[in-house]
Amino acid sequence: MSSSLALVLLMLTFHNASAELFTALADMEELLETESVLIANLDNYIRVQEDKLNQLRRRSAEYQREHTEAAKDVGTYLSNPVNAFLLTKRLTTDWREVENLMSYDVGSEFLENVTNYRDVLKFPSDEDLNGAAVALMRLQDTYKLDTASVARGELNGIQYSTEMTAGDCFELGRQTYLNGDYYHTVLWMREAMDRLSHEVNRTTTKADVLEYLAFSTFKQGNVHTALLMTNELLELVPDHERAVGNKVYYEKELEKEAKQKALRGDDGSVDVPVDTTTKIRTAKDNPHVYDSSERKLYEQLCRGEAERSVTETSKLRCRYVTNKSAFLKIAPLKLEEANLKPYIVIYHDVMSDAEMEVVKRLAKPRFRRATVQNYKTGELEVANYRISKSAWLKDQEHPYIKAIGERVEDMTGLTMSTAEELQVVNYGIGGHYEPHFDFARREETNAFKSLGTGNRIATVLFYMSEVTQGGATVFPSLRLALWPKKGAAAFWFNLHASGQGDYSTRHAACPVLTGTKWVSNKWIHERGQEFRRPCELKPDHPEEF
């Protein structure tokens, strides 16, 4: 089989790329295969270019040798009719061959290959590049990562990759600039500037960095420093059009600041009108908008900093359970209590490696960007606070999928007849899902309406991979973090027995810092649970409800 035919067959094994590759690491894996094909194509291009140059070198050496010989005694050399003929030949047919070889573009075929690859291989889009940059910024903020350490390839003190170049840092800063994130733009442009002084082969110039750094510094309110940087830029590129305009603007802004300062009182104070219209939105306003205190606690839990008291943890127990299941009397489950009220538990070793591999294999071809339900309309939509891809699997698709559903019924004591299909999720670069409720609140009247099975009474969350760093499931109001353990499953009730939502079950998936995170979950609904989880004589929900 020829190499070109083998390459075509390899290309046909790939499928067209969809956007948002950054939202699932399973999709990102195929980018390495794309890169492998491109590297092979580049190596072949280099090889034929070297062959061409080697031919020209041999011709040049041959001609130079003859020319040197002729220069020793021109008359004697040309008096030889053979030499005269060969000289004539070199300057006619031979040089035409050299000209043809010099003009032949050996790279056109390989450039055409790259164009064709875009139809059959997965290539990231500009959206993927921006999404990956946003994800890195999310990780930097959530886990308090030092910019210089990340640029060195270190995450929490562990070296994971090669260092970033000044050009890499510049591009990361440029992407955050495009998003209007001037805080991170300044951080990464400064890092790019620091690295420029140590690099020899530069792809980025100091002027490039200064342009973005100066304006981002201005947007952060530091006009004086922005002007200094702009002046430095103009020394390097005196006719820089944007810098010339910005310099004039910054100087006017500084004049305004000086005048305002002169008009202040003797103590330098100035009256500032108070904005009484600002209102901090909380979880009760929108299930996906939370106040600063919850955000802070959420990030602390993700970093493993918010520890629970010994009084709380001392009451938790581990045990084997049968849950009144005939099957579990033979093979009881390992249960670990994570929280007592609401009752949250971890079942260990409840999914085998073989089951997890089948679930992943079935899910991969169907992956779509994970969606959330609009709390007003009930419609599904993508959102930046949920970065992952998901797929849904039916019990009929494989005996393992059916077995997992039956196991959930044994674990929970609830019927699966009205449960949703098994959802499989793979998180992407910095993949996360910010604090949210699994259940629909009373004002979300359109939620789950089409299912006709009531609200989500409970959640079972299977962990199908170990996560090297990050990726915890956290409950901010409970100060609880569940760390992924392959083969384990978390279970909790989203609703009180009365049917009212349990707001303390508001939870989040922390960003994945390193590693890959695979989970699958069963959302169990109210319909059919009337006798399996009956209401109590007195309402068990808080008084405010």
Side-chain angles (χ1 to χ4, degrees), residues 56 59 63 93-103:
L56 292 171
R59 290 290 184 98
Y63 299 160
T93 58
D94 286 8
W95 270 105
R96 277 197 293 270
E97 291 178 5
V98 170
E99 288 175 16
N100 289 336
L101 185 58
M102 290 173 66
S103 62

Side-chain angles (χ1 to χ4, degrees), residues 122-160:
K122 276 196 173 181
F123 277 82
S125 63
D126 289 338
E127 179 186 0
D128 289 311
L129 176 60
N130 190 261
V134 170
L136 269 179
M137 298 307 97
R138 182 187 310 119
L139 292 172
Q140 185 175 6
D141 291 345
T142 302
Y143 296 103
K144 292 185 175 180
L145 304 176
D146 175 63
T147 304
S149 297
V150 176
R152 289 195 302 270
E154 294 178 11
L155 299 177
N156 280 340
I158 302 175
Q159 188 77 37
Y160 284 102

Side-chain angles (χ1 to χ4, degrees), residues 29-49:
E29 291 171 4
E30 292 190 37
L31 295 187
L32 288 174
E33 297 172 327
T34 297
E35 187 175 50
S36 176
V37 173
L38 292 176
I39 291 171
N41 186 65
L42 178 59
D43 286 341
N44 288 331
Y45 169 75
I46 293 170
R47 178 180 54 77
V48 297
Q49 286 282 24

Side-chain angles (χ1 to χ4, degrees), residues 366-479:
R366 309 182 200 175
F367 269 153
R368 297 291 182 273
R369 173 74 181 268
T371 57
V372 297
Q373 194 167 57
N374 186 295
Y375 77 106
K376 291 182 178 179
T377 65
E379 297 295 324
L380 295 177
E381 58 190 21
V382 298
N384 290 331
Y385 54 79
R386 187 181 189 187
I387 302 298
S388 61
K389 281 188 176 175
S390 63
W392 299 84
L393 303 180
K394 295 181 172 65
D395 289 351
Q396 300 84 352
E397 295 184 51
H398 196 281
Y400 282 170
I401 309 302
K402 183 178 180 183
I404 291 169
E406 292 171 347
R407 195 170 308 136
V408 171
E409 188 158 335
D410 288 336
M411 290 162 56
T412 64
L414 301 172
T415 180
M416 294 296 105
S417 61
T418 56
E420 295 179 42
E421 297 169 1
L422 185 70
Q423 181 184 219
V424 186
V425 180
N426 179 230
Y427 288 84
I429 306 172
H432 72 136
Y433 192 179
E434 293 184 356
H436 62 281
F437 301 106
D438 278 353
F439 65 89
R441 299 174 303 152
R442 282 177 295 182
E443 58 268 32
E444 298 176 79
T445 55
N446 293 315
F448 316 127
K449 188 175 182 179
S450 60
L451 299 178
T453 53
N455 211 342
R456 287 173 176 165
I457 192 174
T459 296
V460 173
L461 178 64
F462 291 95
Y463 296 105
M464 302 195 300
S465 66
E466 304 287 355
V467 180
T468 310
Q469 290 193 68
T473 306
V474 299
F475 297 77
S477 67
L478 305 176
R479 300 178 68 85

Side-chain angles (χ1 to χ4, degrees), residues 283 287-290 294 435-437 474-476 502-507:
H288 303 296
V289 175
Y290 44 97
E294 183 186 31
H436 62 281
F437 301 106
V474 299
F475 297 77
D502 189 340
Y503 282 78
S504 63
T505 63
R506 183 170 164 84
H507 60 285

Side-chain angles (χ1 to χ4, degrees), residues 13 35-36 73 89 114 119 144-145 158 160 194 202 228 239 245 249 276 281 350 413 415 500 513 535:
T13 63
E35 187 175 50
S36 176
D73 187 344
K89 175 180 176 291
V114 175
D119 294 329
K144 292 185 175 180
L145 304 176
I158 302 175
Y160 284 102
D194 290 342
R202 302 170 182 171
L228 293 177
D239 58 347
Y249 181 77
T276 59
R281 301 190 72 184
V350 289
T415 180
Q500 297 288 356
L513 183 55
C535 297

Side-chain angles (χ1 to χ4, degrees), residues 67-235:
H67 187 78
T68 302
E69 184 66 24
K72 292 178 181 178
D73 187 344
V74 175
T76 302
Y77 181 86
L78 292 176
S79 66
N80 185 325
V82 175
N83 288 343
F85 168 76
L86 292 177
L87 175 59
T88 305
K89 175 180 176 291
R90 286 199 300 273
L91 293 174
T92 54
T93 58
D94 286 8
W95 270 105
R96 277 197 293 270
E97 291 178 5
V98 170
E99 288 175 16
N100 289 336
L101 185 58
M102 290 173 66
S103 62
Y104 175 60
D105 183 7
V106 297
S108 58
E109 177 186 348
F110 299 96
L111 286 172
E112 186 178 350
N113 284 344
V114 175
T115 301
N116 293 334
Y117 292 157
R118 293 190 177 277
D119 294 329
V120 290
L121 297 179
K122 276 196 173 181
F123 277 82
S125 63
D126 289 338
E127 179 186 0
D128 289 311
L129 176 60
N130 190 261
V134 170
L136 269 179
M137 298 307 97
R138 182 187 310 119
L139 292 172
Q140 185 175 6
D141 291 345
T142 302
Y143 296 103
K144 292 185 175 180
L145 304 176
D146 175 63
T147 304
S149 297
V150 176
R152 289 195 302 270
E154 294 178 11
L155 299 177
N156 280 340
I158 302 175
Q159 188 77 37
Y160 284 102
S161 62
T162 56
E163 291 198 21
M164 298 172 69
T165 65
D168 296 332
C169 296
F170 170 78
E171 182 57 32
L172 190 49
R174 193 180 74 86
Q175 290 296 324
T176 60
Y177 176 88
L178 294 176
N179 294 330
D181 180 1
Y182 303 112
Y183 168 74
H184 286 110
T185 301
V186 170
L187 290 181
W188 284 97
M189 287 300 173
R190 287 189 181 280
E191 184 63 28
M193 188 70 78
D194 290 342
R195 289 179 172 270
L196 276 176
S197 60
H198 302 101
E199 291 184 3
V200 178
N201 299 319
R202 302 170 182 171
T203 58
T204 303
T205 68
K206 186 176 181 181
D208 294 332
V209 177
L210 280 171
E211 180 179 359
Y212 286 92
L213 185 56
F215 187 74
S216 298
T217 301
F218 160 70
K219 293 296 287 186
Q220 285 197 291
N222 192 340
V223 186
H224 178 70
T225 303
L227 178 58
L228 293 177
M229 291 177 177
T230 302
N231 287 333
E232 187 177 358
L233 172 56
L234 288 171
E235 289 178 7

